[in-house]
Amino acid sequence: MRFITFVLLFAVSPLAHSIERVISLAPSSTELVYAAGLGDKLVAVSEYSDYPEEAQLLEKVANFDSVNIERIIALNPDLIVAWRSGGSIKSLNQLKGLGFSIYYSDTTYVADIADRIEELSQYADKPDVGRTNAKAFREELKRLQDQYSSGAPISYFYQLSSKPIYTIANNHWPSEVFSLCGGINIFEQSPTPYPQVGLEQVIVKAPQVMFTSPHTVQNTELWTPWQKQIPAVSNKFIWSLNADWLNRPTPRSLKAIEQACQHFEIARKTYSTNQIK
């Protein structure tokens, strides 16, 4: 009887059967699947799943707002890797109700990325691939923390959009990327994750550096009239960051940290020199 019970438990374990068909429903999830050594199992992905390059060749069955449930049913995946955001929750619940196995790749902190890779590696034919990538991620993250964590605090503003102006609050992705560099968010205490702010609010808070995404960089002239009031503008410390590195919680988040921290270092040296003078 004990043997029979063991066999039954093993049979229903999500890891007991071989995973052969995987679908990813977010670009960040797609990158994590490849990092975990499961890229050869992917049969479909979401729109904008463009890294690594081979992901671009796969069928698209979702975007930020919708999921093609009928097509997913037809593809019959063994595992769906998803990120709970946008308009996907209802569809994910429906897929779960239909009996599909779903792994949620949500992350809150940068360190969670290594955990997601490690967890997903359990489904790979060669788990050591994901474990090795997770280990490398943790080591590089520690190196970056050791290198940049002791720098003097620098206030920053991250402009997500221009009309209207949106930004981020602390503890919401990708705020930790900046805080690892010693950045102090001028809207850190906002009660909403991605607050809409006014021009006057930014001017009053006078950030020392400003960051934008490529789609907002053309609108940085918005701040030109206020160069006397905003140190970031007067010093030309307005930088555009790689949106894919910054906004997707993936192994490439390490590149975002490196990129942001290098900009903070430039500002840090300038403000330090000015204080000495």
Side-chain angles (χ1 to χ4, degrees), residues 9 31 47 55 72 96 121 188 198 202 218 220 227 232 234 273:
L9 287 172
E31 292 191 36
E47 287 186 14
I72 291 175
K96 186 176 180 180
S121 72
E188 62 181 356
V202 179
Q218 67 270 25
T220 55
Q227 56 185 321
S234 60
T273 301

Side-chain angles (χ1 to χ4, degrees), residues 1-275:
M1 180 64 71
R2 291 174 63 185
F3 175 77
I4 293 174
T5 302
F6 173 80
V7 170
L8 288 173
L9 287 172
F10 186 80
V12 299
S13 169
L15 298 181
H17 63 285
S18 175
I19 296 294
E20 297 298 334
R21 301 172 64 79
V22 179
I23 289 179
S24 165
L25 298 183
S28 59
S29 299
T30 300
E31 292 191 36
L32 291 173
V33 166
Y34 276 99
L38 281 167
D40 60 331
K41 309 287 189 182
L42 275 171
V43 296
V45 295
S46 65
E47 287 186 14
Y48 303 109
S49 288
D50 53 11
Y51 187 88
E53 287 187 8
E54 51 262 41
Q56 300 177 35
L57 303 176
L58 296 170
E59 180 179 349
K60 308 301 186 292
V61 294
N63 57 37
F64 183 76
D65 293 316
S66 64
V67 176
N68 189 336
I69 294 177
E70 291 78 10
R71 184 56 185 155
I72 291 175
I73 293 172
L75 289 169
N76 194 28
D78 302 307
L79 181 68
I80 297 171
V81 184
W83 188 52
R84 284 170 283 205
S85 68
S88 65
I89 297 298
K90 183 178 179 180
S91 297
L92 290 174
N93 288 337
Q94 186 175 347
L95 288 167
K96 186 176 180 180
L98 290 170
F100 288 102
S101 297
I102 301 177
Y103 174 87
Y104 296 106
S105 61
D106 307 37
T107 57
T108 301
Y109 304 103
V110 174
D112 294 341
I113 294 169
D115 295 339
R116 299 295 88 79
I117 294 171
E118 213 163 46
E119 290 164 1
L120 280 168
S121 72
Q122 300 176 81
Y123 300 98
D125 293 337
K126 297 179 179 179
D128 285 348
V129 173
R131 292 169 187 162
T132 298
N133 287 334
K135 181 175 182 290
F137 183 94
R138 293 187 179 107
E139 290 174 349
E140 178 62 9
L141 178 58
K142 185 179 185 305
R143 184 192 70 78
L144 291 170
Q145 290 172 323
D146 292 344
Q147 180 176 352
Y148 295 111
S149 61
S150 60
I154 296 288
S155 64
Y156 77 91
F157 171 61
Y158 177 40
Q159 182 182 346
L160 283 169
S161 62
S162 297
K163 295 180 180 180
I165 302 172
Y166 278 95
T167 186
I168 56 171
N170 270 15
N171 299 321
H172 296 282
W173 195 271
S175 63
E176 191 185 7
V177 169
F178 300 110
S179 63
L180 284 169
C181 303
I184 304 299
N185 186 352
I186 62 172
F187 291 104
E188 62 181 356
Q189 300 302 328
S190 173
T192 58
Y194 301 98
Q196 179 180 339
V197 299
L199 185 70
E200 298 78 8
Q201 291 175 279
V202 179
I203 295 169
V204 169
K205 291 182 180 292
Q208 293 173 292
V209 300
M210 299 173 71
F211 295 102
T212 70
S213 294
H215 62 279
T216 59
V217 68
Q218 67 270 25
N219 294 312
T220 55
E221 66 271 10
L222 170 72
W223 308 107
T224 303
W226 311 102
Q227 56 185 321
K228 290 184 179 180
Q229 289 84 4
I230 305 177
V233 182
S234 60
N235 287 290
K236 295 182 171 56
F237 290 160
I238 303 179
W239 290 295
S240 176
L241 301 176
N242 185 303
D244 290 345
W245 295 354
L246 182 64
N247 296 326
R248 297 180 185 179
T250 73
R252 294 194 294 167
S253 296
L254 296 173
K255 293 180 179 289
I257 295 171
E258 185 78 66
Q259 185 182 38
C261 287
Q262 287 175 355
H263 289 315
F264 274 110
E265 285 297 290
I266 293 172
R268 199 169 276 121
K269 290 175 182 177
T270 298
Y271 290 120
S272 176
T273 301
N274 291 341
Q275 287 177 357

